[in-house]
Amino acid sequence: MADKATALITGASSGIGLEMARIHANAGGDLVVVARRRTALEELKAELESKHQVSVMVIEADLTRQEAPSDVHRQVTDAGIGIDYLINNAGFGGHGLFHEREWAQDESMIQLNVMALTELTRLFLPAMVERGRGKVLNVASTAGFIPGPLQAVYYATKAYVLSFSQAIAEELKDAGVTVTALCPGPVDTGFVKAGNLEGVDAFDQAASARTVAEVGYEAMLKGKHIAIDDRRLGFMLNWIVPFLPRKMVLRMSRQSMEKNT
Ligand SMILES: NC(=O)c1ccc[n+]([C@@H]2O[C@H](COP(=O)([O-])OP(=O)(O)OC[C@H]3O[C@@H](n4cnc5c(N)ncnc54)[C@H](OP(=O)(O)O)[C@@H]3O)[C@@H](O)[C@H]2O)c1
C-alpha cells in the first residue's frame, strides 16, 4: 500500500508536514494537503506534481474553526477521494504563564491540537475500518510525556494526543488500521516563532523537519504506536523521568522552557 496510498496531511504548508508531503509524493502517493496558507499549498502542489506522477488536492482551511474538519471531510468525499493515510500534523504552541496568556490563543490551540485532530480521525476512520486497511499518524510531541510549566496548555494538548492515539491503536489492532503518535523533540520549524519560543535553550539543538518527518513516516508505515526522533530524550522520558519525584520533573521541565533573554 506504501506507493499508491493517498495521504491527507494537515499543516502541509511548512515544517514537518511539508516534508512528509514530499516523502509521500516521492513514494508515488497522491495527496490532499490542508492548511491556511493557500499560496504555500499551491506551490507545494506544483512542485510535487511536476517532480512525481502524483496528483495533489489543495484545501485551504483554518482548522481552529469548529466546522472546518467536517468541511474538509466533505470536500474530500465529494471529490471521490479515499484516504489511506491520515496525517494529523497541524498544531502550534505558546509560551508564558497560563493565567497571563491570552485565552483566545490557548482556546484556538486546544481547538486545533485536540478538537480538529480528534474530529478528523473520527470522520476518516470508519472508511478505513470498513476497507480493513489504513494508517493514522498523529503528531504529538515529547511534550506529551510530562507537564509543561510555561507551556501548560500546549503540553496538555500533546498528552491528550499521545493518550488518545495509543488508546485507539489498541482498539483497532484487529481492524487492519494502525495509529502512530509521532513525538518529536525540538525541531527547527516555524513552530518556534509561531509559539513565541525564541530564546528557549531547548531549541538551540533542534532537529531538521526532514529528519523528523522521515522518522514519523517510517514509523507510520511500520504501524508503530509511538515514534520519538530524539533517542536521548526518548530514553530519558521512558526510563528515567517516570522514576523521578514529580516535583523534580516539574522543576526540570520548567527550566527547559525558561527563556535565556
Ligand atoms: N517544531 C517543534 O519543535 C515541534 C516539536 C514537537 C512537536 N511539534 C508538532 O509538530 C507539528 C507541526 O509543527 P511544525 O514544527 O512543522 O511547525 P510549523 O512549521 O509552524 O507548521 C505548522 C503547520 O500547521 C499549520 N497550521 C497552523 N495553524 C493552523 C490552523 N489554524 N489551521 C490549519 N493549519 C494550521 C500551519 O499552516 P498554516 O500556517 O498555513 O495554516 C503549518 O503548516 C505540530 O503539531 C507541532 O505541535 C513540533
Side-chain angles (χ1 to χ4, degrees):
M1 187 163 72
D3 47 351
K4 273 298 146 202
T6 298
L8 185 151
I9 306 181
T10 67
S13 59
S14 67
I16 300 167
L18 174 73
E19 293 301 333
M20 281 187 181
R22 287 182 171 141
I23 292 166
H24 184 70
N26 192 44
D30 292 339
L31 280 150
V32 178
V33 291
V34 184
R36 291 167 302 180
R37 282 172 285 172
R38 173 174 281 280
T39 313
L41 295 179
E42 294 289 357
E43 281 169 15
L44 179 64
K45 175 183 164 76
E47 174 196 321
L48 300 182
E49 289 185 342
S50 70
K51 273 198 194 157
H52 311 283
Q53 298 281 57
V54 298
S55 91
V56 179
M57 178 184 186
V58 166
I59 300 183
E60 177 187 336
D62 180 348
L63 291 170
T64 62
R65 283 176 35 248
Q66 221 179 333
E67 62 281 15
S70 53
D71 280 354
V72 168
H73 182 255
R74 192 174 45 252
Q75 288 184 57
V76 171
T77 310
D78 287 353
I81 296 171
I83 299 300
D84 303 295
Y85 302 165
L86 171 64
I87 302 182
N88 281 307
N89 162 76
F92 71 93
H95 193 269
L97 296 170
F98 169 67
H99 70 278
E100 291 178 355
R101 282 181 48 78
E102 232 182 271
W103 168 240
Q105 276 287 313
D106 283 341
E107 191 179 24
S108 294
M109 195 191 294
I110 295 168
Q111 195 67 35
L112 179 64
N113 297 8
V114 173
M115 294 297 287
L117 175 144
T118 310
E119 191 176 352
L120 285 169
T121 307
R122 178 65 184 84
L123 289 164
F124 284 100
L125 257 184
M128 292 185 188
V129 172
E130 204 171 304
R131 285 199 302 269
R133 64 188 168 83
K135 296 187 176 299
V136 178
L137 176 61
N138 288 332
V139 181
S141 169
T142 46
F145 286 82
I146 51 174
L150 300 177
Q151 278 217 81
V153 172
Y154 177 70
Y155 274 54
T157 65
K158 294 302 183 179
Y160 172 91
V161 176
L162 189 52
S163 169
F164 169 67
S165 303
Q166 291 174 91
I168 60 171
E170 164 63 23
E171 286 181 6
L172 294 164
K173 70 177 191 299
D174 300 321
V177 178
T178 62
V179 182
T180 303
L182 171 61
C183 299
V187 194
D188 185 14
T189 65
F191 176 84
V192 178
K193 188 156 183 275
N196 182 27
L197 291 159
E198 293 109 328
V200 171
D201 282 343
F203 289 94
D204 288 351
Q205 297 192 339
S208 77
R210 180 70 188 198
T211 306
V212 174
E214 280 169 357
V215 168
Y217 193 84
E218 196 58 38
M220 175 189 74
L221 291 186
K222 288 184 177 153
K224 287 191 176 175
H225 283 194
I226 298 177
I228 303 177
D229 67 292
D230 183 328
R231 281 169 189 248
R232 197 186 58 87
L233 208 47
F235 181 78
M236 287 248 309
L237 291 168
N238 280 316
W239 297 105
I240 298 179
V241 168
F243 306 105
L244 295 176
R246 287 225 153 227
K247 282 190 179 167
M248 184 190 284
V249 173
L250 284 169
R251 272 201 308 277
M252 285 164 51
S253 178
R254 177 176 187 148
Q255 272 164 16
S256 76
M257 276 302 128
E258 296 280 6
K259 293 201 176 197
N260 57 25
T261 47

